[in-house]
Amino acid sequence: MNTLFDPVRYVKGVGPQRERHLQRLGISDVYDLLWHIPRSYIDRTETVKIRNLLVGEVVSITGIIETVRTSVSSRRIAIIKAVIRDDSGMIPVVWFNQGFLKNVLKPGLQIFVRGKVNLNYGQMELSAYDYALIGQDKTDADPGIDPIYPSTEGISQKVWRQMVRNALERYATVYPDIAPPGTKEELGLLPARQALWGIHFPARWEQQELSRRSLAFEELFLLQLAIRREQKSLRDPNVKGVKNTEQDDLVSRVVGGLKFSLTGAQKRVTAEIFRDMEEERPMNRLIQGDVGSGKTIVAALAMAKAVSSGYQAALMAPTEILALQHYETLKKVFPPDIRVAILTGSITAKRREEILTGTAEGHYHILVGTHALIQESVVFKKLSLAVIDEQHRFGVSQRALLGQKGFLPDVLVMSATPIPRTLALTVYGDLDISTIDEVPPGRLPVKTVALRESGRDKAYQFLLKQVKRGRQGYVVCPLIEESEKQDLTDATALYQRLQAGVFRHHTVGLLHGRMKPAEKDRVVDDFRRGEIEVLVSTTVVEVGVDIPNATVMIVESAERFGLSQLHQLRGRVGRGAEQAYCILLGNPRTEVGLKRLKVMERTNDGFEIANEDLRLRGPGDIWGLKQHGLPELKLTDLWKDSDLLHITRDIAAQSVSLLEESRTIQQLLNKKYPRTENIAAN
Ligand code: ADP
Ligand code: MG
């Protein structure tokens, strides 16, 4: 019998070699192939004559390939340039970074291209987004909408279309409908099997959109069921929480020792946390607060309460740099009789052993570390509070803490990227949320400008001027996953160039992900102490680093970053009383890219930025979600489909019995949400 989980080689047209290629893209069974969603489409029903092209427009043309030339840019990116002719004229079309196309694009072939008309030294040129070879990629010659798949070298779009078509023909009928009967009809949505056809091979755009929304329903419903499943496993009546009852005045001693007074928002959120901690029910609370809103001190007060009540507290950070920074903050805010330890990868085995023993015996009151702290299941004598500084990387499951001495500690998750409340609630299930919606007084909003790359010299001169006044600055280079090595050379080269050039009379430092933790710590420390004046860094500096004297941030190739990520980065400056500046350098190639940078210029409000980010991101573009550590939703457009968030949440609440009764649902859940520790629900 055909099942959705048949190995992908059962699909006609998939041989051993293609199977290997597919596996590289994470496609191992039929389900994966059916959910390999087109990244875009080309609509061959509307094309423009070459003679009528206007600079700046995004258009589609069809014509014959005249010539093809290959070259390499100064940044070692392959450039393919093909001249295309139709009955009205000719235009060069360029593809960047797709060297393999030289074997695909051949003179004489009829081609369809969608792209943007740019000027290159006064000459019109089409910068290609997508293309299709007519008569090759499409079996019939009719105008239509063709899917374009995310691909890897070795599989052409033509092959993709064939494989997916074959998979649909044989398997679409066995695709189960998991929603309770009647629900989708009522919402005007298509059954999954029909929607899958419609997303891969739409006849019209309306059909594509309806199919997308129908499949978004499938995704969200499954996600909701996964959350329910997670919650069920936590609702074990044998697992109790603890009541924290303060035994001394530690909390007021900590508050009294601060160099500042708490903001109203900090006080309110602290009170909400304290109320939770006094109850026996385990706390599960998210503190949401924009970068620089002062979450750390709130967490420190919660830890003070736990310690004062006779328990231990743990603080987990996403990176070692941050863990170290938190450790230093805690050492400063707690009186010396409170013993704080830090567990990182860079301490000696002997010290590590001491800390583990000291924690198990209750000698240490507070233990700081990276997320590995709970993954390695460090044993505490009596842990009552775990603070997880996730910044925007959610995903540590509370379940990982269950091993602690028969009770569940209170959990406090700190997040810097405000995600809209509906989304947070949906994704976190029953999590309570506190929002620090106020920044400490006296902070000046960071002034942001987006400049074209031609403004680079000006930007660096500006930074130089600030450095001469005793300020410090960051220069951030993008990190592209596929070519970490390349980025490293970029960052290193930039570092060398700046040190030898503009900043030759100053000290430049370099920070990147490939460095050993101890090296990173040293660099950040030197920067903190002002010995490094300009820090060139990849995005490792993105989370949480708190160095108030740094007042300028220059971001290279800013168009390659997501909005929330830019906001995070920008949060590294403007943490002191001085005016801070953020300069975004980049030549965005798309409209959306341009809009993004404009949003950054316009506002410093993380919440607004998060919303804009949701709005500007189209369906299928889930980069931002991944950044939130949320499970991948391929087709859900969290902006357009926000109603479905609520609807599926309700339906899932009424369908919990399916978790036990429906084998299909179990299979789908196990497929999409294997039971690891990182399901976002906790
Ligand atoms: P985030 O919320 O981004 O984690 P931090 O907790 O790192 O922010 O705080 C940012 C900076 O603001 C720190 O230097 C901290 O000491 C300072 N800070 C926190 N609360 C206040 C306050 N109420 N008044 C003045 N400064 C504060
Ligand atoms: Mg922080």
Side-chain angles (χ1 to χ4, degrees):
M1 220 201 35
N2 295 337
T3 89
L4 269 190
F5 306 107
D6 283 351
V8 71
R9 66 169 178 279
Y10 285 21
V11 174
K12 200 167 93 197
V14 182
Q17 197 186 346
R18 283 198 186 137
E19 187 179 26
R20 272 197 304 279
H21 283 307
L22 289 174
Q23 229 126 37
R24 234 182 287 145
L25 290 169
I27 299 174
S28 57
D29 58 23
V30 173
Y31 177 90
D32 296 330
L33 183 58
L34 292 178
W35 278 91
H36 190 64
I37 303 299
R39 71 174 156 77
S40 64
Y41 301 84
I42 48 180
D43 182 352
R44 293 186 290 103
T45 56
E46 283 182 16
T47 57
V48 176
K49 292 278 180 216
I50 290 174
R51 173 173 23 103
N52 299 332
L53 296 182
L54 292 175
V55 174
E57 279 184 331
V58 174
V59 291
S60 302
I61 60 169
T62 75
I64 306 281
I65 302 176
E66 288 276 302
T67 56
V68 181
R69 270 190 17 233
T70 314
S71 59
V72 176
S73 78
S74 56
R75 294 167 99 184
R76 279 179 288 151
I77 290 175
I79 300 175
I80 306 271
K81 196 174 274 203
V83 173
I84 297 193
R85 177 175 55 79
D86 69 6
D87 56 15
S88 75
M90 298 207 277
I91 187 167
V93 179
V94 280
W95 283 265
F96 295 98
N97 215 0
Q98 299 179 57
F100 63 93
L101 285 181
K102 68 171 183 282
N103 304 319
V104 177
L105 305 173
K106 297 284 178 210
L109 293 178
Q110 206 189 351
I111 192 172
F112 171 96
V113 188
R114 199 176 70 91
K116 179 157 182 194
V117 186
N118 288 322
L119 271 188
N120 185 15
Y121 294 104
Q123 284 268 24
M124 266 206 226
E125 171 179 287
L126 192 68
S127 184
Y129 298 164
D130 296 313
Y131 76 97
L133 293 172
I134 297 170
Q136 291 217 353
D137 286 349
K138 175 92 180 170
T139 36
D140 58 20
D142 295 337
I145 301 170
D146 293 338
I148 308 264
Y149 292 96
S151 190
T152 136
E153 208 163 323
I155 307 186
S156 70
Q157 292 299 329
K158 177 180 158 190
V159 169
W160 274 115
R161 288 169 197 153
Q162 267 165 9
M163 290 190 301
V164 173
R165 197 177 278 281
N166 291 340
L168 282 166
E169 273 166 4
R170 184 153 154 201
Y171 290 94
T173 48
V174 300
Y175 202 98
D177 259 309
I178 52 173
T183 1
K184 292 185 82 177
E185 287 86 336
E186 216 171 285
L187 293 164
L189 300 175
L190 303 172
R193 57 179 186 283
Q194 224 170 308
L196 281 166
W197 271 109
I199 200 75
H200 288 290
F201 300 106
R204 294 178 322 279
W205 286 110
E206 305 84 74
Q207 188 194 5
Q208 189 273 342
E209 170 57 17
L210 180 60
S211 302
R212 185 200 65 70
R213 203 168 137 82
S214 304
L215 293 173
F217 177 96
E218 301 289 320
E219 286 189 315
L220 289 171
F221 185 52
L222 208 58
L223 168 64
Q224 294 298 340
L225 287 171
I227 291 170
R228 295 280 150 184
R229 181 183 65 175
E230 210 66 6
Q231 284 169 348
K232 247 177 69 167
S233 74
L234 278 174
R235 228 167 266 144
D236 179 347
N238 297 319
V239 181
K240 292 245 169 6
V242 286
K243 275 187 184 163
N244 288 276
T245 316
E246 288 170 50
Q247 310 287 333
D248 58 19
D249 61 347
L250 180 60
V251 172
S252 21
R253 275 196 290 156
V254 170
V255 174
L258 294 176
K259 291 195 198 75
F260 47 77
S261 45
L262 297 174
T263 63
Q266 283 171 321
K267 283 187 197 153
R268 173 173 48 74
V269 170
T270 306
E272 285 166 6
I273 294 166
F274 279 19
R275 259 201 309 282
D276 277 0
M277 291 178 73
E278 282 157 19
E279 279 177 30
E280 185 169 8
R281 180 178 65 91
M283 169 171 74
N284 191 20
R285 189 171 277 280
L286 173 72
I287 311 182
Q288 218 170 243
D290 211 342
V291 284
S293 62
K295 294 182 289 296
T296 315
I297 191 63
V298 171
L301 293 175
M303 288 189 269
K305 185 173 177 79
V307 173
S308 169
S309 308
Y311 296 103
Q312 292 166 295
L315 170 57
M316 283 155 280
T319 65
E320 291 215 355
I321 293 177
L322 263 189
L324 193 67
Q325 181 176 291
H326 284 323
Y327 171 71
E328 274 158 14
T329 305
L330 295 178
K331 291 289 272 188
K332 260 186 262 161
V333 303
F334 278 97
D337 55 313
I338 303 304
R339 288 180 290 272
V340 186
I342 180 167
L343 197 62
T344 66
S346 42
I347 55 174
T348 63
K350 184 157 161 282
R351 177 78 189 121
R352 191 182 165 76
E353 205 43 52
E354 271 169 27
I355 292 174
L356 288 177
T357 316
T359 306
E361 288 172 355
H363 171 74
Y364 290 111
H365 299 102
I366 294 175
L367 185 62
V368 182
T370 57
H371 289 164
L373 210 68
I374 57 171
Q375 271 131 28
E376 287 172 19
S377 52
V378 176
V379 179
F380 291 82
K381 183 159 184 231
K382 39 187 181 175
L383 181 74
S384 80
L385 174 69
V387 180
I388 305 173
D389 187 1
E390 296 268 346
Q391 297 295 337
H392 52 280
R393 298 169 203 199
F394 302 146
V396 179
S397 168
Q398 203 180 9
R399 197 143 47 92
L401 291 162
L402 273 172
Q404 304 295 335
K405 303 283 167 197
F407 61 82
L408 198 61
D410 288 328
V411 172
L412 196 60
V413 182
M414 301 196 279
S415 166
T417 310
I419 55 178
R421 191 179 173 86
T422 49
L423 179 55
L425 280 175
T426 305
V427 169
Y428 279 92
D430 291 338
L431 195 75
D432 296 306
I433 301 180
S434 294
T435 306
I436 306 184
D437 50 6
E438 185 185 350
V439 290
R443 293 267 173 84
L444 299 164
V446 179
K447 286 192 178 150
T448 303
V449 281
L451 295 181
R452 302 224 131 234
E453 286 183 6
S454 53
R456 179 174 289 120
D457 285 347
K458 241 168 68 189
Y460 283 108
Q461 284 305 325
F462 180 80
L463 173 55
L464 180 64
K465 230 170 61 197
Q466 291 278 314
V467 169
K468 282 186 176 157
R469 288 196 194 140
R471 303 279 89 78
Q472 291 164 276
Y474 299 93
V475 178
V476 181
C477 305
L479 187 122
I480 326 167
E481 273 164 44
E482 308 98 78
S483 60
E484 209 180 314
K485 232 184 188 156
Q486 177 64 39
D487 294 326
L488 199 53
T489 19
D490 284 356
T492 312
L494 181 63
Y495 156 74
Q496 285 163 348
R497 224 165 39 237
L498 291 178
Q499 181 66 89
V502 195
F503 298 102
R504 60 190 171 281
H505 301 305
H506 299 272
T507 322
V508 183
L510 175 65
L511 185 70
H512 59 73
R514 291 273 183 99
M515 289 160 74
K516 295 213 179 68
E519 283 176 86
K520 284 191 218 162
D521 291 347
R522 209 185 51 234
V523 171
V524 172
D525 217 46
D526 286 351
F527 191 53
R528 196 184 305 280
R529 283 183 290 122
E531 271 162 36
I532 289 173
E533 295 163 282
V534 173
L535 184 61
V536 176
S537 170
T538 58
T539 46
V540 289
V541 80
E542 175 188 334
V543 276
V545 174
D546 184 34
I547 296 168
N549 191 48
T551 56
V552 182
M553 167 163 291
I554 296 176
V555 182
E556 290 277 349
S557 307
E559 78 279 4
R560 293 207 218 155
F561 294 89
L563 272 191
S564 299
Q565 200 180 12
L566 284 176
H567 181 62
Q568 275 293 327
L569 283 167
R570 182 170 60 182
R572 299 312 108 224
V573 296
R575 303 177 79 85
E578 298 283 336
Q579 176 65 56
Y581 305 88
C582 176
I583 305 173
L584 305 172
L585 290 174
N587 292 342
R589 283 212 242 124
T590 63
E591 277 302 299
V592 170
L594 200 68
K595 278 199 191 133
R596 288 176 162 221
L597 298 186
K598 290 287 164 207
V599 172
M600 295 302 295
E601 280 187 345
R602 194 180 72 227
T603 178
N604 271 287
D605 179 340
F607 193 84
E608 190 179 336
I609 288 170
N611 264 321
E612 281 295 308
D613 208 10
L614 274 180
R615 202 171 59 77
L616 291 177
R617 250 186 263 129
D621 181 359
I622 40 69
W623 188 89
L625 264 190
K626 275 206 183 131
Q627 189 204 17
H628 283 298
L630 304 182
E632 188 179 39
L633 297 174
K634 293 184 169 192
L635 287 165
T636 304
D637 182 326
L638 290 165
W639 190 261
K640 284 197 221 160
D641 303 328
S642 59
D643 58 332
L644 290 183
L645 279 176
H646 300 283
I647 294 168
T648 52
R649 190 169 182 224
D650 293 345
I651 301 176
Q654 295 152 22
S655 314
V656 260
S657 60
L658 291 179
L659 289 173
E660 256 138 46
E661 291 156 15
S662 161
R663 202 171 122 63
T664 312
I665 284 182
Q666 287 164 6
Q667 280 177 330
L668 287 173
L669 278 176
N670 291 341
K671 169 76 192 173
K672 185 133 189 225
Y673 301 102
R675 302 207 71 161
T676 59
E677 294 308 322
N678 49 23
I679 286 187
N682 37 53

